[in-house]
Structures are given as C-alpha cells and as structure tokens.
Amino acid sequence: MAAAGGDDGGAGGFCDIDFMVLRPDKGGLRDLIHLLWSPKVAENAAVDCLAGTEIAEARRRWAVFVSLVAQMLLLWAKRPVALLGRAAEYWMNLLNENGGSVLKLAANAMHGKVKMPDRSSLNYRSCIGLLDTRIDLDKEIKPGDSNYHAALSIMAAKLSYENELVISSVVKDHWHMEFLGFYNCWNEFEGDYTTQAFMLADAPAPDATLAVVAFCGTKPFDTEQWCTDVDFSWYEVPGAAGCRVHGGFMKALGLQKHGGGWPKEIHDPTGARDNRPFAYYAIREKLKRFLDDNPGARFAVAGHSLGGALAVLFPTVLALHGEEAVLGRLQGVYTFGQPRVGDARLGAFMEPHLENPSRYFRFVYCNDIVPRVPYDDSTLLFKHFGTCLYFDSFYRGKVTGEEPNKNYFSVLMVAPKLVNAVWELIRSFLIGYAEGPEYVEGWLMRLARVVALVLPGLPPHAPQDYVNATRLGAASLEPLR
C-alpha cells in the first residue's frame, strides 16, 4: 500500500490521521471478492487507507463493496452514457428551437425552415433547464419576504447547470442583477474540470447588499459525477474535531492532492497561471474582494444535489481556515436535494458557525432519494445536520430534524411512494390551472413523472419541485422568518 499523498488518491499530510479512499480504477474482481471475506482492507488494491486498517463488520465491508461495484459500472458506462446524453440534450434543444413538438419540427422541415441548435448560444439549455424552463424570478416574492433568499437561491442553483453565456444573460437581462463570474474548476484527483459555479450580486459596487454563490449539481448524463454521489470515501479532517467528511465532495470542491489537503493558501488560487482554478480557493478570493468592495453586503451559498453538498462544505472549509470575518457576513446556506456530507462530528464542528441564529437551510422535497444517501446508520456513519425544511407533494412544508424514511429503501414505503408518484403525474396536468401558467409542466417533466412510476425517487430530485416548494410553501416556515 502506497503512503498517503502519492498516486494512491491520498492527500498528503492532511490524511495522515485517518482516511478511506475507494479506488474503482485500481481494483478488480479479485479485490471485490477479497473485500467480502477479509477484514484487512489495507491489503486491498481497491481501498486506500492507513496501513493496518481493518473493517471487522461484514455490513460495512458490504457497503464498501456495493459502492465500488456501482462506481465501476458507472465508469464503464461513462462514454456511452455521455454520448447518449449529448444526443438526447441536442434532440430536446432541436425540438425546443422548432416549436417544442415533433409535429412542428416536421412542419419546419417540410418548409426548409428547421432551426439547428447551437450549444454555445443563448438559447441552448441543459437537460435540467429543459425539465423546468422557468428563468424569471417570482415577481410576487420581494426582497425582505421570508422566502426571498430561498426562492432566489433555488433559481440560482438551477441556473448554474447552464453555460456561461446563458447564466450571464439571465442574471443581467432577466433578474437585473450583477454577474460577478463563472467558474469551471479543476479536480486534481479526477484530472478534469468537474465543478461549475457562478456568482452574482443584487447591485453594482459599492451598493450591493447580497451576493449569491451557486454551485452546479450532478448532471444527469455525467457518470463521473454520479460516482461522486455513490462514493463512500471519507477523510478525517485535522483541526475540525476529527470529523469525517465525504471524500468525493471535498475533491470536487478543491481538495489538494499534493498540497496537504486543505492548506489555507495555495500558490495560484484563481488558476490564472495554468487555467486550473480550484473551486474553493477561486471563489473565496472573489468573495473576499466583493465583501471588501461592498461594506454593507452579505452573501449566501446555494446548490442543488451535488451542488448542495459543495454549498455546505464551502463554509466548512472557511471555518477550518479561521475565516471568521468572511463567515460573519454569511447570510445563509440554502441546499436543495443535498446528500449527506459527513458524520455527526462535522455537524458539531459547524454548529457554532451556522446556528444561533440558524443560517443553514436544507430543503428536502417528498420522496427525493438523494438527501437520503449515503446511509445514516451504524455502517456508514453519515449524518445530516442543520435545519431540515421538508415539503410533501402538496408543497406543505414543515421543520424537522430529519426527512421521513431517512434511508429511502424501506419495504413499508414502497406502496406509499408509488401512490405518491401517481399523484405527482396527475398533478402535473392540474397545477397550471391551480397555481398559474408559470407552474405548467412541459412534456419532458411529465415524461419524468411517468418514469417515477418505476423509479419513484429520481424525478422528485429535479429542481422543478424545489422551485415550487420555495414559492408555494416556504413563506410559512418559522426558520426562514
């Protein structure tokens, strides 16, 4: 077993205390079989950890086995799924450019007037953007309203899936705000640009009162990002009460492979020298400059799915670095469909920074599967923390310590989830009449509702229901007031 900090996926002296990094790229069938019967995981090529590490509990080894198999399958499918996604997204944009239906596309083709999509144009949308085509903020929700920051945050989180040109245009032309920057960030462990984010402000300097940092979530056809979601790797964080944090999310945020994990400063924080910015460092530098230029401003951090995990880990690393002046101007962290990011000690470490008053709002919609992984049990030790704002399929919200059916895979919940999926499909045809035209669901979202009849936990993860929840149900919740 190589020492931590080499090519084994460790992170230098940062992880000398304790860590476990799963390596689906290094393991094979023999390693998977070895994992099932032998507690000596330090001898397994598919697991990087400190020498002598053992996992005696068969349930924990089984969980690691499942995670590795899932990642291996996802990595194997990376190229065909990416090609499928690219083709599907292009086809959906082709329909969108030509009236939104096959019949209208055929009519345009007959008259030689087919409009071809341009991936770099203002009109090109991601799959997420096509599922929910709304780009305007709700004009009924004003600054000062209890749900204003939540409603702005979910729209920013949804917008973060788009290309830079679309994001800039929507922020400036539709929201009438200031576009501060777009970030396509490097992941040293993946050797690729895996993390996307942007920043906006509500007014030009020096009069801005709020900035929003929005992290992009898991893209539907990016299997590497899905690997991050199912990766059970973790690092113990020195200086943070010995808490264990999800390794995949930290890597996406900018964990340094050869620089000691989370050094407070790195040589090129903005990535200007080699065009390889790391998300945490590049955004922190921009945020500090913004706060210096706008003495009365505060900031919010937002994200959906994987983006929600990055959103809550961003202030975690700020706290680790003792950035109290920056944290003192944090207005709130708003996450939507966020997976678990660490153990109970992480929550205890962050409580002084995010509570009293509460500044961390974790939105969970109904049967969304993603907030319910990785498992919260004695096997994996992952725990949510912060204020959970849970919404049912009628968008009725309540404040709770944990979402119902917290680990999702309960036999007792199979029938209720299927009944709820049927209701959500019916609701997709009715909600426009009940709440107004901006709530009308398109054919793609309705198709996703049909998929929910087989996979009831996936379509509820789409931003559509989170946008609806912040607009229709969030204002009544006490923590937001």
Side-chain angles (χ1 to χ4, degrees):
M1 181 62 59
D7 272 345
D8 58 354
F14 166 75
C15 57
D16 288 340
I17 296 179
D18 202 2
F19 69 100
M20 184 178 73
V21 180
L22 306 188
R23 296 301 303 271
D25 57 323
K26 293 291 184 70
L29 179 61
R30 179 180 178 182
D31 299 294
L32 292 174
I33 296 172
H34 178 270
L35 184 63
L36 290 176
W37 65 265
S38 172
K40 298 180 179 181
V41 293
E43 299 176 0
N44 197 306
V47 182
D48 283 335
C49 53
L50 295 181
T53 298
E54 296 188 4
I55 300 179
E57 302 94 330
R59 286 182 62 199
R60 289 189 63 196
R61 295 202 306 276
W62 172 253
V64 173
F65 172 86
V66 171
S67 176
L68 280 167
V69 170
Q71 290 182 73
M72 288 175 178
L73 291 173
L74 287 167
L75 290 174
W76 173 80
K78 175 183 175 181
R79 182 169 175 79
V81 170
L83 290 173
L84 173 64
R86 191 173 176 85
E89 189 176 88
Y90 190 85
W91 168 251
M92 290 184 289
N93 274 278
L94 180 63
L95 291 179
N96 200 46
E97 287 277 11
N98 291 274
S101 72
V102 175
L103 291 177
K104 291 180 179 179
L105 173 62
N108 283 357
M110 289 176 64
H111 293 89
K113 296 180 179 180
V114 174
K115 298 178 181 178
M116 303 304 293
D118 179 357
R119 295 182 188 275
S120 62
S121 76
L122 277 172
N123 296 324
Y124 199 86
R125 293 291 184 269
S126 68
C127 288
I128 296 296
L130 291 167
L131 279 170
D132 182 359
T133 59
R134 291 173 290 189
I135 59 174
D136 290 318
L137 302 178
D138 189 331
K139 295 180 174 59
E140 300 299 317
I141 302 176
K142 309 292 185 184
D145 290 349
S146 62
N147 58 334
Y148 173 75
H149 291 114
L152 174 60
S153 292
I154 181 56
M155 289 300 287
K158 185 168 79 76
L159 183 61
S160 67
Y161 286 90
E162 307 303 330
N163 65 53
E164 181 177 3
L165 189 60
V166 172
I167 295 173
S168 175
S169 174
V170 170
V171 169
K172 292 186 291 187
D173 300 334
H174 290 263
W175 299 358
H176 307 293
M177 297 183 179
E178 296 294 305
F179 176 69
L180 298 181
F182 175 86
Y183 302 89
N184 188 29
C185 298
W186 185 252
N187 183 325
E188 205 167 20
F189 294 80
E190 299 291 344
D192 200 358
Y193 297 91
T194 66
T195 306
Q196 184 171 304
F198 78 95
M199 285 182 64
L200 65 84
D202 62 353
D207 301 319
T209 61
L210 180 72
V212 177
V213 177
F215 287 96
C216 180
T218 306
K219 297 179 179 178
F221 295 99
D222 189 329
T223 62
E224 279 193 328
Q225 290 188 341
W226 282 103
C227 280
T228 298
D229 289 334
V230 302
D231 185 2
F232 295 162
S233 300
W234 52 265
Y235 292 103
E236 187 173 291
V237 183
C243 59
R244 293 178 175 182
V245 183
H246 191 291
F249 300 146
M250 289 207 297
K251 294 171 186 176
L253 190 60
L255 184 72
Q256 299 296 288
K257 185 175 182 180
H258 303 294
W262 286 117
K264 186 170 183 178
E265 305 293 341
I266 61 174
H267 177 65
D268 185 23
T270 64
R273 182 169 57 86
D274 58 4
N275 195 32
R276 290 184 175 180
F278 295 100
Y280 167 77
Y281 295 99
I283 293 170
R284 184 190 65 178
E285 294 305 304
K286 180 66 175 181
L287 183 60
K288 283 184 173 182
R289 290 197 298 271
F290 167 82
L291 295 174
D292 288 342
D293 294 341
N294 297 271
R298 299 176 70 81
F299 73 98
V301 192
H304 166 259
S305 190
L306 164 65
L310 302 183
V312 72
L313 287 178
F314 182 77
T316 300
V317 183
L318 287 175
L320 180 66
H321 289 161
E323 297 281 4
E324 298 300 331
V326 178
L327 284 170
R329 295 171 70 176
L330 175 65
Q331 187 280 326
V333 178
Y334 298 85
T335 71
F336 306 90
Q338 171 218 311
R340 297 182 177 101
V341 298
D343 64 5
R345 286 173 291 184
L346 176 63
F349 172 71
M350 288 306 295
E351 184 175 0
H353 304 285
L354 296 178
E355 300 295 333
N356 301 316
S358 179
R359 295 188 292 172
Y360 172 30
F361 307 100
R362 187 170 60 82
F363 286 72
V364 177
Y365 170 72
C366 202
N367 290 322
D368 183 354
I369 187 176
V370 175
R372 295 168 167 94
V373 295
Y375 277 8
D376 174 357
D377 61 14
S378 59
T379 301
L380 295 178
L381 307 176
F382 284 92
K383 297 281 185 183
H384 274 310
F385 61 97
T387 303
C388 177
L389 306 180
Y390 174 79
F391 296 83
D392 64 17
S393 58
F394 292 90
Y395 303 118
R396 296 175 300 199
K398 66 178 181 180
V399 183
T400 179
E402 186 70 73
E403 55 272 11
N405 188 27
K406 68 176 184 178
N407 286 328
Y408 189 79
F409 294 102
S410 168
V411 175
L412 297 176
M413 292 300 295
V414 171
K417 284 186 289 192
L418 291 175
V419 170
N420 194 78
V422 172
W423 156 241
E424 288 174 330
L425 177 59
I426 296 171
R427 187 193 63 193
S428 70
F429 292 92
L430 303 177
I431 191 169
Y433 297 103
E435 302 295 346
E438 66 270 27
Y439 292 91
V440 172
E441 295 189 7
W443 66 268
L444 187 59
M445 192 65 221
R446 288 173 180 168
L447 180 61
R449 302 290 189 198
V450 174
V451 172
L453 301 177
V454 179
L455 301 170
L458 292 181
H461 184 58
Q464 175 94 25
D465 288 313
Y466 285 100
V467 174
N468 292 350
T470 60
R471 295 182 177 190
L472 299 175
S476 63
L477 298 180
E478 184 64 32
L480 294 175
R481 294 178 180 176

